[in-house]
Amino acid sequence: MKKLTALILIIAMTFSCMLSLSSCKEEEEDLSAKIEEKVVAYMTDLRDSADTLTSNEAIQNYLQNWAKAKGIACTADQSGNIIMSIKPSDEYKKAAPTVLVCPYDGQTFRTSIEPVAMALYAAKNNENTGKLTIIFTAENGHDYSGIKALSHKYFTDETKVFCLNGGSRNMWSVESGGWSSYNFTGKAKYTQATGDKAFRIRITGLPGGIPDSKISSYPNPIKEIGSLLAYFKTNALIFELAKVTGGNSGNLYPKTASATIVIDENDLEKFQSRMDTAIENFYDHYEDFIEENPDVSYTYKEIDPPDEVLTQNSLNNFVSELYTLLDGVYYKDEDENLVSITNIGSIRCSDGKFTISAAANSLLAHNLSEIDQDYKTICGLANFKYRKSDSQEPFTGNADTAFVQAVMTAFDQYADAEMELKTCVSSTNASYIHQLNPRVEIINVSVNDERLERYTGTLITYLLNLEHEEKNS
């Protein structure tokens, strides 16, 4: 009888475990299906609204109206930061507070749709876990204006922070680059045009965004125009430059660039031949990029001749400066890991001067100092004035903390894969958060649509794993 009772107990316990395992599996599948459905819905809605979200004011209104409709407490500070607050459930009252920090910028909103969608999903669907604060930080041309003015009160010693960012590469990291921004100015003197044929050369339709590890494959239209003008110079095509413009911020990839040049009618055939060759080479070199971004266009069109053009001395200085300025990959380590990048982001010619804006990102502070000196030297050779307008130190966190290990465990649980921490050469909000409270633990997340569901699932799993009391059955 005792043996029979023991056997019955063993069978019952085994059956119970099987039910429990089955229940856990169903819960995982239910969570995955829920995330996949809802986060895609958030992303789709943001994409559908993107044409109207081209200013920070419009984005602020969208976020605040969204929070109101979802019943989520939401405030805004004087710098345009939007703060959403979710209280902890009774079971998770002892859990450490979590903060998600997500930048937004009307100039580049489409490139931040995925991290915004991830943040909105967590705000509404955090599974009744611990205290959660979601901060959307305002930027204007990726200038960090919002995070610079953010109160330190959101970052207590116990706070765990996820910095959410858009990016061409999906990654988790505890290191992000430092940042420097620059303005270079030169005199622009004008004279009467002598040529009788004028053309506007334009490169348009690029997606823009924040410079990152894919910088070598991004066709910078400003640099392309500079190389074209230098090509004309070295191949004895006489031309005059009337106007040049491109981009909006040194901290961002430029979306467009254009130049208006004047030539002699006798050089028309030579000009057209070299333009056709330049355009053909452009499309061949960036074939893969253009296939993914079919709106990219490189054209030239005849227009009415302008009255004024730059003097030859101003033209020579400008072409020399733009052609030699650093743009793209600056330094890789001995293992070919990307360490430093530079970007020419905007150019203007008005009020009698050229203004070229650029930025650098690097994981090494001394590399940033070297870039400073290189830019300064180039400006001196072309009679341009050099000014570094802003900077921030690189951020280096600790991969061995309990927080980072907990995130890696959550990734393994949700994705059934091992997380590999990478280095993010682009600067992020992490450096500024570290300044607000050096004791805060931070992990960077760079995400696009390829990993949005997986990364959102990792975040929710991390929240579910926080210290809590089990509900009574």
Side-chain angles (χ1 to χ4, degrees), residues 171-386:
M171 71 174 79
W172 301 78
S173 67
V174 292
E175 295 180 78
S176 59
W179 161 72
S180 296
S181 61
Y182 311 89
N183 287 311
F184 316 123
T185 56
K187 292 181 180 179
K189 295 184 178 179
Y190 289 85
T191 186
Q192 187 174 356
T194 60
D196 41 28
K197 288 282 186 180
F199 290 86
R200 179 177 292 121
I201 304 164
R202 301 183 69 204
I203 303 175
T204 62
L206 287 129
I210 297 170
D212 58 11
S213 57
K214 292 292 185 74
I215 196 166
S216 59
S217 63
Y218 187 91
N220 187 321
I222 295 174
K223 195 66 175 177
E224 292 291 333
I225 293 289
S227 297
L228 177 68
L229 299 181
Y231 174 75
F232 289 162
K233 280 280 186 185
T234 56
N235 285 272
L237 175 65
I238 298 173
F239 71 94
E240 298 168 309
L241 181 64
K243 185 178 180 181
V244 62
T245 185
N248 292 309
S249 167
N251 303 318
L252 301 173
Y253 285 134
K255 297 179 181 181
T256 64
S258 67
T260 300
I261 70 168
V262 180
I263 62 171
D264 189 276
E265 188 171 9
N266 294 328
D267 291 325
L268 179 59
E269 186 176 343
K270 183 193 294 186
F271 166 75
Q272 291 175 324
S273 174
R274 289 177 181 169
M275 279 303 309
D276 292 341
T277 299
I279 292 172
E280 182 180 353
N281 290 341
F282 176 85
Y283 281 100
D284 286 344
H285 184 73
Y286 295 108
E287 180 179 2
D288 293 341
F289 182 91
I290 294 171
E291 186 175 337
E292 295 177 2
N293 299 275
D295 292 335
V296 175
S297 173
Y298 191 164
T299 60
Y300 67 101
K301 177 183 178 181
E302 186 170 1
I303 60 173
D304 293 333
D307 295 327
E308 290 186 326
V309 294
L310 292 167
T311 64
Q312 278 301 306
N313 188 50
S314 291
L315 173 60
N316 291 338
N317 286 338
F318 170 71
V319 172
S320 175
E321 173 78 355
L322 186 55
Y323 180 72
T324 53
L325 278 177
L326 304 171
D327 180 81
V329 174
Y330 180 83
Y331 176 69
K332 291 183 177 182
D333 65 18
E334 58 187 15
D335 297 320
E336 289 298 298
N337 296 312
L338 189 61
V339 176
S340 307
I341 59 175
T342 57
N343 175 67
I344 300 173
S346 73
I347 182 171
R348 292 288 180 273
C349 182
S350 61
D351 300 326
K353 68 177 181 180
F354 298 105
T355 302
I356 303 174
S357 297
N361 291 268
S362 178
L363 295 163
L364 301 175
H366 70 80
N367 258 189
L368 289 174
S369 297
E370 291 172 5
I371 293 170
D372 291 350
Q373 189 57 50
D374 287 347
Y375 273 141
K376 189 180 294 185
T377 300
I378 292 168
C379 286
L381 294 173
N383 294 316
F384 268 62
K385 291 183 179 179
Y386 161 93

Side-chain angles (χ1 to χ4, degrees), residues 160 174 397-408 421 439-443:
K160 313 304 178 187
V174 292
N398 184 355
D400 296 325
T401 64
F403 166 57
V404 174
Q405 295 304 311
V407 175
M408 296 179 75
L421 293 175
R439 296 183 181 181
V440 166
E441 295 181 53
I442 306 167
I443 192 165

Side-chain angles (χ1 to χ4, degrees), residues 21-83:
L21 288 171
S22 175
S23 176
C24 288
K25 187 66 176 176
E26 287 177 3
E27 286 179 8
E28 288 177 9
E29 290 177 352
D30 288 346
L31 179 62
S32 177
K34 176 183 176 182
I35 291 173
E36 184 174 1
E37 177 187 355
K38 291 195 172 184
V39 80
V40 169
Y42 288 140
M43 182 174 65
T44 301
D45 183 62
L46 289 167
R47 285 179 173 172
D48 290 344
S49 304
D51 288 341
T52 65
L53 301 178
T54 55
S55 71
N56 281 4
E57 183 180 5
I59 297 170
Q60 290 163 21
N61 290 336
Y62 178 93
L63 293 172
Q64 289 176 302
N65 290 334
W66 183 91
K68 183 178 181 180
K70 304 298 182 183
I72 296 171
C74 181
T75 59
D77 66 18
Q78 292 183 343
S79 298
N81 298 311
I82 305 299
I83 301 98

